[in-house]
Amino acid sequence: MRGNLRAFGQQKVRCTVCGASYRRAPLGGKCRTELETKKNPFTGEWELIMCPGNIILTVPYGAVKKYDGLMEDIIEMYGCDPYIAGLYEQVSKWVKETFEDPTSKTQSRLL
């Protein structure tokens, strides 16, 4: 879980169409890869054909959070050293703080 959180923080982004990988996401949010150059039949000028793909993260949120419940169950079932239990609690806290969304609302009652 700690390794996955580190990977999430250092991840790259990639294009869904051409698979191009970027260290930082382009400001426009679209892929900037040049696919080919074509000659325009009407003007006779050469034009660049750009990739129309969207940019996505290479390490999803679920990859970081998926072991949280499993680790908690294993610690409760089999026990472990206090150091490992404290490390798990700290990493779990980091994950919750990293992905916490203050604008999201939870449903408290049925309407």
Side-chain angles (χ1 to χ4, degrees), residues 1-108:
M1 195 164 136
R2 187 171 63 174
N4 288 352
L5 182 61
R6 182 175 188 267
F8 186 85
Q10 296 178 345
Q11 71 181 317
K12 295 181 178 184
V13 293
R14 70 176 178 86
C15 174
T16 58
V17 175
C18 68
S21 178
Y22 299 95
R23 211 175 95 194
R24 289 183 218 88
L27 292 176
K30 300 281 183 186
C31 183
R32 300 297 304 150
T33 304
E34 299 172 2
L35 293 179
E36 62 180 317
T37 55
K38 264 188 176 176
K39 191 171 187 176
N40 188 328
F42 300 109
T43 62
E45 295 178 3
W46 289 95
E47 296 178 346
L48 288 174
I49 306 298
M50 303 298 281
C51 178
N54 290 326
I55 301 294
I56 60 170
L57 299 173
T58 55
V59 180
Y61 162 67
V64 178
K65 192 173 185 264
K66 69 181 176 183
Y67 297 111
D68 194 22
L70 177 66
M71 288 176 60
E72 187 175 350
D73 293 342
I74 289 174
I75 289 173
E76 285 179 12
M77 230 186 246
Y78 302 108
C80 65
D81 296 335
Y83 172 77
I84 299 296
L87 183 63
Y88 160 71
E89 287 184 18
Q90 188 65 36
V91 171
S92 181
K93 180 181 158 191
W94 289 338
V95 168
K96 287 177 184 138
E97 289 174 356
T98 301
F99 298 108
E100 149 181 82
D101 185 12
T103 61
S104 68
K105 296 180 181 178
T106 57
Q107 183 175 350
S108 60

